[in-house]
């Protein structure tokens, strides 16, 4: 099986190196091929998604992705910016279903800024539509009005078929979990959301066992903090899902803990931590590699059909947390909680390998 390895920028290469260590320790017949993306792609080939990188991603069975972005690229014209490499990869590979599970490990319930009793035992899945919405809608741009003032434009749009396929993904995910699906929109204001809701209700007829509910996105943002355990699966559009998944990450203690899978219609996928490239801590051996290691576990499960190996990796992560190992983001300063020890990126990766 061929894995395209795209480390990207900032902490991307460091955290991906730890995930690769873990995969190698499993001694599977995996062929890893690396290519630059994001700022690294721009530096290497003048393009955040070099042609060779896209070709490798297309030909691979799965893609393992680090993170992209850096201050040095912020002044480039928008199509050349690192984020465009990631967005184009998602679009080109048709990765419309983005699974972002938020799980609170028992040892980390007190690492969340939300009270432990609110988050302990949390296990929810945010399913974010990933190739439509205001991220890709045309028209877009900045133009100058007759008055001489500039105006910025982005367009939120969803076709029925785009909503239908992510709704099906949502209902199928709910069937495999707690059989509850909450669709999140802004149907009280946006026509796009009105259509979204209609289509989700239509699709629901095919899944009579799933209990469907609807929330406006502002209410959902509040409910996630008030009582997150009311949710099982949340399905939502691209931009609402972007925002709600960052919010949900804080329930788990750290954004450094959240993996993701982005799947196409045939479960080919790209796997990446939901956090960014964190240029402020890049190269310092302090980033948390667990979101990336857990993303590799998702790759084993969803694209490579290796559920037993995925379970092993997830169990190893639980074990190192139980052993008290904490990267800076999940270590409670000052001094740390009883029985915990602050470790660096590499030490955390080594500990997961040892736990395997
Ligand atoms: C994410 C990120 C990306 C997004 C950025 C880096 C383009 O925030 O994966 O959530 O907005 O989708
Ligand atoms: Mg985001």
């Amino acid at each position: 099986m061929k894995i395209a390895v795209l480390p990207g920028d900032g902490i991307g290469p460091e955290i991906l190196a730890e995930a690769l260590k873990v995969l190698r320790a499993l001694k599977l017949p995996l062929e890893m091929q690396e290519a630059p993306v994001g700022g690294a792609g721009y530096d290497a080939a003048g393009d955040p998604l070099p042609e060779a990188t896209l070709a490798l991603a297309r030909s691979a069975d799965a893609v393992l992705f680090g993170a992209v972005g850096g201050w040095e690229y912020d002044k480039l014209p928008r199509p050349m910016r690192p984020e465009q490499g990631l967005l184009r990869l998602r679009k080109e590979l048709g990765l419309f279903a983005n699974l972002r599970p938020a799980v609170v490990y028992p040892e980390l319930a007190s690492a969340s800024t939300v009270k432990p009793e609110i988050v302990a035992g949390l296990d929810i899945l945010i399913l974010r539509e990933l190739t439509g919405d205001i991220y890709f809608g045309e028209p877009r741009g900045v133009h100058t009005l007759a008055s001489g003032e500039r105006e910025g434009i982005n367009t939120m749009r969803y076709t029925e078929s785009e909503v239908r396929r992510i709704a099906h993904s949502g209902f199928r995910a709910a069937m495999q979990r707690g059989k509850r699906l909450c669709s999140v929109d802004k149907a009280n204001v946006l026509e796009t959301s009105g259509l979204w809701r209609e289509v989700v209700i239509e699709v629901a007829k095919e899944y009579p066992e799933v209990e469907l509910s609807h929330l406006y996105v502002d209410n959902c943002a509040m409910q996630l903090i008030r009582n997150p355990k009311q949710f099982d699966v949340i399905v939502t559009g691209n931009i609402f899902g972007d925002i709600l998944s960052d919010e949900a990450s804080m329930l788990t203690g750290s954004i450094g803990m959240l993996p993701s899978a982005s799947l196409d219609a045939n479960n080919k996928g790209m796997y990446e931590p939901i956090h960014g490239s964190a240029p402020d801590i890049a190269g310092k051996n302090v980033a948390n590699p667990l979101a990336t290691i857990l993303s590799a576990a998702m790759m084993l499960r969803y694209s490579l059909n290796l559920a037993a190996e995925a379970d092993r990796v997830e169990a190893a992560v639980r074990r190192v947390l139980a052993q008290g190992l904490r990267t800076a983001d999940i270590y409670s300063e000052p001094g740390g909680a009883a029985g915990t020890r602050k470790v660096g990126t590499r030490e955390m990766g080594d500990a997961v390998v040892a736990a395997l």
Side-chain angles (χ1 to χ4, degrees):
M1 288 169 289
K2 183 159 124 185
I3 314 296
V5 175
L6 314 183
D9 312 318
I11 60 171
E14 291 167 70
I15 52 176
L16 213 51
E18 301 312 310
L20 293 181
K21 262 188 207 168
V22 171
L23 287 173
R24 276 190 221 104
L26 292 171
K27 305 216 183 315
L28 299 166
L30 301 179
E31 181 197 329
M32 318 275 192
Q33 276 188 40
E34 201 176 306
V37 72
Y42 179 79
D43 290 339
D47 184 346
L49 182 59
E51 229 167 274
T53 301
L54 178 59
L56 172 67
R58 278 193 205 286
S59 68
D61 297 294
V63 181
L64 204 50
F65 191 98
V68 292
W71 300 308
E72 61 271 48
Y73 308 107
D74 284 351
K75 294 258 142 56
L76 290 172
R78 196 164 285 278
M80 288 299 135
R81 291 201 203 151
E83 292 76 10
Q84 289 303 313
L86 175 58
L87 296 173
R88 274 169 53 205
L89 255 178
R90 290 172 177 170
K91 191 76 175 172
E92 295 278 349
L93 299 181
L95 307 172
F96 67 90
N98 183 213
L99 283 65
R100 299 189 160 189
V103 173
V104 173
Y105 293 89
E107 297 80 8
L108 295 187
S110 61
S112 174
T113 51
V114 178
K115 291 192 196 108
E117 64 269 27
I118 303 292
V119 299
L122 181 77
D123 179 357
I124 63 177
L125 174 66
I126 297 185
L127 182 63
R128 168 188 178 195
E129 199 288 332
L130 204 58
T131 54
D133 203 352
I134 197 164
Y135 270 60
F136 296 95
E138 299 281 346
R140 65 187 300 158
V142 177
H143 66 150
T144 306
L145 299 168
S147 64
E149 188 187 21
R150 285 178 308 155
E151 181 184 38
I153 302 177
N154 290 93
T155 310
M156 178 177 275
R157 40 195 326 161
Y158 265 121
T159 63
E160 285 186 85
S161 57
E162 285 174 313
V163 179
R164 194 166 293 120
R165 67 181 179 178
I166 192 71
H168 278 289
S169 306
F171 283 104
R172 283 197 301 264
M175 283 299 288
Q176 287 171 10
R177 296 176 43 106
K179 301 201 171 140
R180 286 181 301 118
L181 180 66
C182 178
S183 170
V184 173
D185 61 40
K186 188 70 186 173
N188 51 344
V189 178
L190 305 173
E191 284 80 1
T192 320
S193 280
L195 178 67
W196 172 285
R197 193 175 280 218
E198 268 178 42
V199 174
V200 171
I201 289 171
E202 217 178 278
V203 173
K205 294 188 189 124
E206 297 177 45
Y207 302 88
E209 282 177 60
V210 176
E211 181 195 314
L212 173 66
S213 60
H214 304 271
L215 279 182
Y216 299 138
V217 61
D218 50 348
N219 189 10
C220 181
M222 179 193 59
Q223 297 295 339
L224 269 174
I225 297 297
R226 194 186 71 86
N227 175 21
K229 284 185 252 178
Q230 70 185 282
F231 296 110
D232 177 22
V233 181
I234 291 174
V235 65
T236 190
N238 204 343
I239 192 149
F240 298 155
D242 178 46
I243 298 165
L244 293 176
S245 59
D246 264 36
E247 188 191 7
S249 77
M250 277 297 110
L251 302 170
T252 72
S254 167
I255 196 166
M257 293 298 301
L258 250 69
S260 82
S262 306
L263 305 178
D264 74 1
N266 306 311
N267 276 2
K268 170 166 170 170
M270 179 157 92
Y271 299 84
E272 52 171 321
I274 83 150
H275 62 70
S277 56
D280 52 325
I281 57 165
K284 296 186 177 155
N285 191 40
V286 298
N288 185 348
L290 293 180
T292 315
I293 291 171
L294 291 168
S295 299
M298 290 186 89
M299 174 179 86
L300 295 168
R301 189 181 308 282
Y302 292 105
S303 286
L304 307 182
N305 269 318
L306 296 168
E309 283 76 3
D311 288 344
R312 279 185 67 198
V313 172
E314 286 164 3
V317 167
R318 284 175 201 269
R319 185 172 305 177
V320 299
L321 292 173
Q323 286 165 354
L325 272 63
R326 303 282 185 271
T327 41
D329 57 312
I330 48 177
Y331 183 77
S332 38
E333 299 285 6
T340 64
R341 184 160 65 85
K342 188 145 93 179
V343 298
T345 310
R346 288 189 291 272
E347 206 176 344
M348 188 61 114
D350 290 342
V352 175
V353 169
L356 273 177

